[in-house]
Amino acid sequence: MLKYLTLTKIWNFFLLRFSYLLSKTFKSNIHHGQPFSISIEPTTACNLACPECPSGLKAFTRPEGNLKTNLNQKLIDELANKLISIYFYFQGEPFINPDLLEMIKYAHNKKIYTVTSSNGHFFNNNIAKKTVLSGLDKLIISIDGTTQEIYENYRVNGSLEKVINGVENIIHWKKQLKSNSPEVILQFLVTAKNEHQIPTLKKLGETLGVNKVKLKTIQVYDYKGGNNLIPKNEKYSRYKQIKKGTYKLKNKLTNSCWRMWSSSVSTHDGRIVPCCFDKDAQHQLGQIKDNDFNSIWNNKHYNNFRKNILANRKAIDICQNCTEGTKVWV
């Protein structure tokens, strides 16, 4: 990521961090700078039917669709001189959008670090080659089981064989093109169904030749009364059992949130929302189609949301399942 830094971006990051620390200290909304990171949603569509995912369940109340290239370019053009990174994912499977790699290439040419996350079903030989050539810096591929039987417990309608073949195609083209990017990360969403496979996951990662393997805690919507997906080993859970059949969130949810000072999220149709936990865009802070991003970033809706974070974060619905501090690397 260092190769993308400029003095302007470093200074902007300093302003964000300093104003955030002041806000935490004085419990007052003090905000300077523009986001150094943003998530842009390529699509809401998905080929799988994962049980805790609104895309898989087709459970959105907001409009569904694909991000258009002109909206992607508008966001990037307005923020490029301050942005360090763009995450091309939010809800949905990014590679369903046929223009995804062109969008990534546009950001790459603007000298922005790019990341996307995929369920891994779209990396045939041609797409794998184009992905490496796009300039993508990091590719996260979900692989939530090391056997088909366990994998499909969560990745409903998915094929583990197709995912593994896709990873192999990406690694092949990295070697063929003598490219260090994208960094390939296998991401394992730990559930009660697959936690016993964690030891074999690392071996699989080594065999495939990926850069890293990452464990991620699962979010379940109804966790207080328990859920059969919550891992038995509390180390891999974002929830803590209080007594039999009763759970609470591990995260203490202090009245602060770095994300609200440092980053933002845009849906495929340009709705600006606070963070990736607002999956159905219930807390819309502005519409990029109608406004420049900076006016949204500093408007009364955004500032009121930051004030509410500083006053009583636990009262905000989308904060009540926050994963902060609950990811594990192996």
Side-chain angles (χ1 to χ4, degrees):
M1 193 181 290
L2 292 175
K3 65 183 179 182
Y4 296 105
L5 293 182
T6 63
L7 288 176
T8 299
K9 292 180 180 183
I10 293 170
W11 176 246
N12 180 65
F13 182 88
F14 171 80
L15 289 175
L16 290 170
R17 192 65 186 171
F18 185 64
S19 59
Y20 170 66
L21 293 175
L22 286 176
S23 298
K24 278 181 67 176
T25 302
F26 296 106
K27 296 300 175 186
S28 177
N29 178 39
I30 302 165
H31 199 273
H32 302 287
Q34 289 185 333
F36 77 85
S37 180
I38 190 169
S39 295
I40 301 176
E41 179 181 65
T43 184
T44 53
C46 190
N47 54 310
L48 303 186
C50 304
E52 293 289 329
C53 174
S55 291
L57 296 172
K58 311 297 186 287
F60 290 118
T61 61
R62 62 183 171 96
E64 300 180 29
N66 285 349
L67 174 69
K68 303 299 184 186
T69 54
N70 62 329
L71 188 59
N72 178 65
Q73 290 176 12
K74 182 179 188 297
L75 267 168
I76 292 173
D77 288 347
E78 289 183 11
L79 295 170
N81 68 327
K82 304 287 179 64
L83 274 183
I84 297 174
S85 60
I86 295 179
Y87 291 78
F88 281 98
Y89 62 92
F90 178 25
Q91 301 303 300
E93 164 52 46
F95 282 84
I96 285 177
N97 188 322
D99 299 316
L100 173 68
L101 294 175
E102 286 304 313
M103 295 175 183
I104 289 171
K105 188 179 294 185
Y106 188 82
H108 174 75
N109 290 338
K110 293 282 187 174
K111 303 197 181 305
I112 301 167
Y113 183 87
T114 54
V115 185
T116 194
S117 179
S118 172
N119 62 40
H121 284 73
F122 294 85
F123 299 117
N124 59 34
N125 192 57
N126 182 46
I127 297 299
K129 182 179 181 181
K130 288 181 177 179
T131 299
V132 176
L133 289 172
S134 72
L136 179 68
D137 292 288
K138 182 187 290 187
L139 173 62
I140 301 166
I141 299 177
S142 297
I143 186 165
D144 306 330
T146 58
T147 61
Q148 177 63 27
E149 179 186 7
I150 298 300
Y151 173 80
E152 66 187 9
N153 269 317
Y154 189 78
R155 297 288 167 178
V156 179
N157 301 330
S159 166
L160 179 61
E161 181 181 11
K162 185 173 282 190
V163 176
I164 289 175
N165 288 341
V167 174
E168 291 173 337
N169 286 339
I170 293 287
I171 300 300
H172 166 77
W173 280 110
K174 282 181 66 176
K175 291 177 180 176
Q176 285 293 110
L177 297 168
K178 296 181 171 54
S179 176
N180 290 323
S181 61
E183 178 186 16
V184 180
I185 296 175
L186 285 189
Q187 181 170 273
F188 192 85
L189 190 67
V190 184
T191 71
K193 309 287 186 182
N194 67 15
E195 58 186 317
H196 66 284
Q197 292 190 333
I198 291 173
T200 60
L201 173 69
K202 187 174 182 181
K203 293 178 182 177
L204 177 61
E206 291 172 350
T207 300
L208 292 173
V210 301
N211 296 93
K212 288 179 182 141
V213 173
K214 183 173 74 170
L215 305 182
K216 183 179 179 182
T217 61
I218 186 170
Q219 172 185 354
V220 297
Y221 287 97
D222 185 15
Y223 64 84
K224 292 181 180 178
N227 186 295
N228 62 8
L229 289 171
I230 297 176
K232 302 294 188 293
N233 188 336
E234 198 175 284
K235 173 183 178 182
Y236 303 120
S237 176
R238 74 178 67 177
Y239 311 105
K240 180 179 180 65
Q241 189 170 25
I242 307 169
K243 56 185 179 180
K244 189 173 182 180
T246 306
Y247 290 79
K248 70 174 184 178
L249 191 69
K250 280 183 183 177
N251 193 338
K252 294 180 180 179
L253 293 183
T254 57
N255 292 334
S256 62
C257 179
W258 170 230
R259 291 183 184 182
M260 287 305 301
W261 272 254
S262 65
S263 59
S264 190
V265 176
S266 174
T267 63
H268 73 92
D269 57 348
R271 300 163 188 244
I272 301 300
V273 297
C275 75
C276 60
F277 285 93
D278 191 7
K279 297 178 181 180
D280 208 20
Q282 296 298 303
H283 298 273
Q284 184 175 329
L285 304 173
Q287 170 55 262
I288 193 66
K289 287 180 181 177
D290 306 321
N291 303 276
D292 65 276
F293 182 87
N294 195 51
S295 66
I296 298 172
W297 183 243
N298 294 293
N299 70 17
K300 65 178 182 180
H301 303 296
Y302 231 128
N303 284 323
N304 284 339
F305 199 92
R306 293 185 186 106
K307 289 175 184 177
N308 290 337
I309 288 279
L310 294 169
N312 186 10
R313 187 178 170 202
K314 291 180 180 178
I316 302 172
D317 55 354
I318 62 171
C319 295
Q320 293 168 12
N321 239 326
C322 184
T323 56
E324 186 179 347
T326 56
K327 293 181 181 178
V328 184
W329 292 85
V330 296

